[in-house]
Amino acid sequence: MKRIAVLPAMLAAAVFAEPLTWDKLVESAKNDPRYEAAQKRSEATSGERHTKLWDKLELRYQLDGFSFAKHDFELRMSPKTFGESSADKERADAVRNYEKARFGVERSLLLFDRYERGVRYVMRKKINEINKQLLQVNADRVEVLHMKSGSASFSAEDLMSTLEKGATIKADLLSDSTALRDAELKMKIWVPDFEGVDLDSSFLPTMDELAQNLSNGVEVNENFPLVAMARGKRDSEVAQAKQDVSKGRDYISHIGIGYSLQIESLLEKYKDLDASDIYGTGAYADYKDEFQSKTGCTSALNCSATASILVPDKDNRKTADKFFVNLAFRLPFFDSGKDSDLKLQVAKLDAESDYLADVRDINQKVARLTEEVLALIGQWKVQKEFVEQVGASGFMEQFARNAGSDPLLLLRAKESALESDMKAVKLEYDIFARYLELLNYAGILARENSANHLREALK
């Protein structure tokens, strides 16, 4: 029964599945587990940090003697060291900024994967179309060569070379289909439910738009997530060093307030008793037998001996005297704070040096990518101009008159135009590959609520 129920659902999903578009591909980044994990990590550190009023709070208990008559209770607090609160706040702010920048970097990487895969699919599809046209031109050349097989101008070497070229083009077509299928499978991991791929090349910026956007270069600033991440790392390391230094400023070790409890029913003490304490109106008449056994006195007459006897005790302290205060101070007179100050200075210099090195590395990579993109666009323009020149009707007519309408020469001109077009498409892919890297470094892909990062970039 379950199989019967599942089959209509699968059929319905297949019927209503829509083609994959750029919007769906870009939007799928928000459903990626890495995106959700980075977002949760950023949200966890984005809240306000609770102020810590003390370093340690403990309840202490002391038993004075195994008679269980005396008990000391103490609430002891270890205060925070001098400067620790400000260092904790700096560290919390640095971690918050670092995780926010890290979330942007993670989002940028996820979108980079999707844009890169989509661009590869579009470019490979263009290459596949050109290869199909090249295969047709090559087939026409084979046919012409077969027709010339009996003439004096026939060249068996040209025929063999053409056949080999046809086999190479067929292999390229097979590679194209494999690459397109693999790209679809990869994109199905991100967007499971789609039927066909509708990634239009019009979604991509033109070469003129890229050249115009990059003509003035790209200035690296603190809005770049990678730069913000490096800055957060620097600030966190400096704050950590300040925390370490502040721990050496624990001039007040602890402050405690306690209460000393005595249970009178369990209190006993040794007391030297004489005859007046035992006989007559003495307060310790109950201990007469023990007194007599220790002193040998049977009455108060002529008895000057004393005996140490364990008798009940009373807690006759005032209520105020039952409380006590415990203070402990560290004497810093023989300590040297120079080592701590030196460590803090070294930590600041190391953190600043690492930060500047990261920024310099980002600057160099952005400058190199910008230069490479502009250089490749120049090469692309040369190839496209040649394709347009070959495709112009006046040029083709002039070429045909000069060639005497030789079909092989006409086919070679068409093939040359297609090969230039192929070079231009491959240059486009190289350009977009570097352009995406540039957007990744610049943090453009980290922007939220952007429908097309490629066209909105660097504006």
Side-chain angles (χ1 to χ4, degrees):
M1 294 295 293
K2 290 184 178 180
R3 292 181 179 178
I4 296 175
V6 169
L7 184 58
M10 293 177 62
L11 292 174
V15 170
F16 294 105
E18 297 179 353
L20 176 66
T21 60
W22 282 106
D23 292 338
K24 291 182 179 179
L25 185 61
V26 173
E27 192 68 20
S28 68
K30 294 183 178 180
N31 300 323
D32 196 288
R34 290 183 296 171
Y35 181 94
E36 296 175 356
Q39 186 178 39
K40 289 179 180 178
R41 186 170 57 245
S42 178
E43 291 174 352
T45 57
S46 62
E48 289 295 327
R49 189 176 184 272
H50 297 290
T51 303
K52 191 177 180 182
L53 300 178
W54 51 74
D55 186 49
K56 184 171 61 175
L57 184 67
E58 56 185 359
L59 179 64
R60 291 197 167 202
Y61 165 77
Q62 179 177 327
L63 175 65
D64 294 340
F66 284 102
S67 63
F68 295 94
K70 296 181 179 181
H71 309 267
D72 290 344
F73 300 92
E74 179 188 0
L75 186 64
R76 179 175 292 187
M77 177 191 71
S78 297
K80 296 182 69 174
T81 59
F82 293 95
E84 186 178 358
S85 296
S86 60
D88 288 348
K89 186 178 183 304
E90 287 183 22
R91 181 76 188 280
D93 292 341
V95 170
R96 185 184 302 112
N97 294 332
Y98 176 81
E99 291 298 338
K100 182 179 179 181
R102 186 179 176 185
F103 176 42
V105 171
E106 190 69 33
R107 184 169 60 245
S108 181
L109 289 174
L110 293 173
L111 284 172
F112 174 84
D113 291 341
R114 284 157 175 78
Y115 276 118
E116 191 275 336
R117 187 65 57 173
V119 168
R120 179 183 296 185
Y121 182 88
V122 171
M123 294 297 107
R124 203 59 189 251
K125 198 169 183 181
K126 286 184 177 181
I127 291 174
N128 182 256
E129 293 297 327
I130 296 174
N131 276 327
K132 289 179 180 178
Q133 297 180 49
L134 284 172
L135 184 64
Q136 183 59 49
V137 170
N138 195 77
D140 294 341
R141 180 184 287 109
V142 171
E143 185 177 352
V144 172
L145 288 172
H146 277 300
M147 292 174 60
K148 286 189 171 186
S149 59
S151 66
S153 61
F154 173 74
S155 173
E157 184 178 351
D158 288 345
L159 179 59
M160 182 60 64
S161 177
T162 303
L163 292 174
E164 290 176 355
K165 196 168 189 178
T168 301
I169 296 174
K170 289 179 181 178
D172 290 340
L173 285 170
L174 181 61
S175 176
D176 294 339
S177 61
T178 302
L180 290 171
R181 184 173 64 254
D182 291 344
E184 285 191 29
L185 293 175
K186 177 67 175 180
M187 290 185 290
K188 275 188 178 293
I189 298 176
W190 299 325
V191 187
D193 301 325
F194 70 82
E195 185 66 29
V197 179
D198 186 19
L199 299 180
D200 192 355
S201 60
S202 62
F203 185 86
L204 306 177
T206 64
M207 296 297 105
D208 291 336
E209 289 174 338
L210 289 182
Q212 183 178 0
N213 288 338
L214 299 176
S215 59
N216 295 326
V218 180
E219 181 182 357
V220 176
N221 54 55
E222 293 188 352
N223 294 326
F224 284 32
L226 287 172
V227 176
M229 201 165 135
R231 187 178 65 252
K233 181 175 178 290
R234 177 201 62 187
D235 295 344
S236 178
E237 290 176 354
V238 172
Q240 177 67 54
K242 288 183 178 180
Q243 285 179 323
D244 295 339
V245 170
S246 68
K247 293 186 184 300
R249 300 177 184 147
D250 53 341
Y251 303 127
I252 302 177
S253 298
H254 63 262
I255 302 172
I257 182 169
Y259 178 79
S260 179
L261 172 67
Q262 295 184 7
I263 303 174
E264 289 192 352
S265 62
L266 300 177
L267 284 175
E268 291 182 313
K269 66 179 180 180
Y270 283 97
K271 186 175 182 180
D272 293 334
L273 303 180
D274 56 18
S276 62
D277 295 322
I278 299 297
Y279 298 106
T281 59
Y284 298 96
D286 294 340
Y287 296 90
K288 182 174 65 174
D289 294 340
E290 186 176 353
F291 179 80
Q292 289 177 351
S293 65
K294 288 187 176 182
T295 61
C297 297
T298 58
S299 67
L301 296 175
N302 301 323
C303 182
S304 60
T306 60
S308 180
I309 298 176
L310 189 65
V311 298
D313 194 10
K314 291 185 178 180
D315 185 7
N316 55 4
R317 298 171 301 166
K318 296 186 299 183
T319 301
D321 292 337
K322 295 179 181 180
F323 291 90
F324 62 89
V325 175
N326 192 337
L327 297 175
F329 298 92
R330 184 172 67 83
L331 302 178
F333 307 114
F334 302 101
D335 293 345
S336 176
K338 294 183 180 179
D339 291 342
S340 299
D341 293 338
L342 180 60
K343 288 180 181 178
L344 178 58
Q345 291 178 9
V346 171
K348 287 182 177 179
L349 291 174
D350 287 343
E352 186 68 21
S353 177
D354 293 341
Y355 168 72
L356 293 176
D358 290 338
V359 173
R360 183 172 60 253
D361 183 59
I362 295 171
N363 262 306
Q364 291 175 347
K365 289 180 178 177
V366 167
R368 176 181 57 81
L369 289 170
T370 304
E371 181 181 349
E372 290 179 358
V373 169
L374 291 175
L376 289 172
I377 290 176
Q379 297 178 31
W380 176 86
K381 288 182 177 180
V382 172
Q383 296 294 335
K384 293 302 289 184
E385 286 175 1
F386 179 77
V387 173
E388 292 173 0
Q389 185 179 12
V390 173
S393 58
F395 177 83
M396 291 298 296
E397 291 175 359
Q398 181 65 31
F399 183 84
R401 287 195 296 269
N402 295 337
S405 300
D406 187 346
L408 289 177
L409 291 176
L410 292 174
L411 290 172
R412 180 68 188 101
K414 188 175 182 179
E415 183 184 48
S416 180
L418 289 173
E419 288 174 349
S420 293
D421 205 7
M422 176 74 78
K423 291 178 182 179
V425 172
K426 290 182 178 180
L427 282 171
E428 280 185 40
Y429 176 69
D430 291 338
I431 289 168
F432 281 118
R434 287 164 175 78
Y435 181 59
L436 283 172
E437 286 187 42
L438 179 60
L439 298 187
N440 185 36
Y441 276 108
I444 304 300
L445 299 181
R447 293 178 181 173
E448 296 186 273
N449 303 322
S450 179
N452 188 341
H453 296 81
L454 304 183
R455 284 189 177 275
E456 298 173 10
L458 306 176
K459 291 184 180 181

